[in-house]
Amino acid sequence: MSEFRAAYRYALALLGVAEEMKKLDEVSRDLASIEKLGKDLHEFVVFLKSPVVNSEKKKRTLNEIFQGKIGEITMKFIHLLASKGREGLLPEIIQRFYALRDERLGILHVTTRTAVAFKPDQEKKLIAQLETATKKKIRLTYVTDASLKGGFVVQHDDTVWDASVRRQL
């Protein structure tokens, strides 16, 4: 089974359990803290993916790191991954979990490239128009792009709304 499919299946299972136990917010916070640890400490990701360290040692170490810091559901999930030898997939599983969660909650991640930063009222108008067009809640990320002379470009996955000056000309 490919790494992508395995990560997707584990994320789907964790999402299902979190929803069933009504602990979706708690599990999301736990995964955010684990993700932050992975980004802040590259050695943590190397440790997870290391084939040299056996699964029992990984379980003990993960237990020491996260005991009392994350919820029971997330802790059991990490133990399951370690016992199956899939702890190296944890960063990918977290990304898949977020994508599945946002899809179920009707949240769309949109990136906006602008020449200059939007004013708060312009930002609200853009979000309102995007929510009307997509019928989903919008989570907007701004990127300042010096190559744009004016206007903006909104992108979600492979859909692009181009309102730049270059496009208008």
Side-chain angles (χ1 to χ4, degrees), residues 6 36 50 65 95:
K36 184 179 180 330
S50 173
I65 292 171
Q95 293 306 312

Side-chain angles (χ1 to χ4, degrees), residues 148-161:
L148 291 174
K149 301 301 177 207
F152 60 93
V153 178
V154 177
Q155 181 174 0
H156 164 69
D157 291 335
D158 60 348
T159 304
V160 177
W161 293 287

Side-chain angles (χ1 to χ4, degrees), residues 74-164:
T74 312
M75 196 67 189
K76 285 182 179 180
F77 181 73
I78 289 173
H79 281 283
L80 172 74
L81 289 176
S83 66
K84 299 284 186 183
R86 295 293 200 165
E87 65 280 345
L89 290 177
L90 193 56
E92 291 84 11
I93 291 170
I94 292 171
Q95 293 306 312
R96 296 285 142 242
F97 177 86
Y98 288 150
L100 289 167
R101 180 201 61 191
D102 289 348
E103 183 180 314
R104 289 216 179 144
L105 295 176
I107 298 173
L108 198 62
H109 290 274
V110 176
T111 302
T112 303
R113 292 185 303 125
T114 61
V116 294
F118 276 10
K119 295 177 185 167
D121 61 322
Q122 292 173 320
E123 182 179 329
K124 287 178 186 174
K125 284 181 184 177
L126 177 62
I127 290 172
Q129 288 179 340
L130 289 172
E131 286 177 347
T132 302
T134 61
K135 300 194 181 9
K136 293 187 178 196
K137 186 173 167 68
I138 300 296
R139 189 172 292 154
L140 210 52
T141 304
Y142 286 100
V143 176
T144 304
D145 186 355
S147 69
L148 291 174
K149 301 301 177 207
F152 60 93
V153 178
V154 177
Q155 181 174 0
H156 164 69
D157 291 335
D158 60 348
T159 304
V160 177
W161 293 287
D162 193 346
S164 64

Side-chain angles (χ1 to χ4, degrees), residues 5-21 24 27 31 73 77 80-81 93 96-97 100 104:
R5 287 178 57 196
Y8 174 81
R9 288 180 178 172
Y10 278 110
L12 189 61
L14 180 59
L15 181 66
V17 170
E19 285 179 330
E20 184 179 310
M21 304 292 281
L24 186 59
V27 171
L31 292 179
I73 294 171
F77 181 73
L80 172 74
L81 289 176
I93 291 170
R96 296 285 142 242
F97 177 86
L100 289 167
R104 289 216 179 144

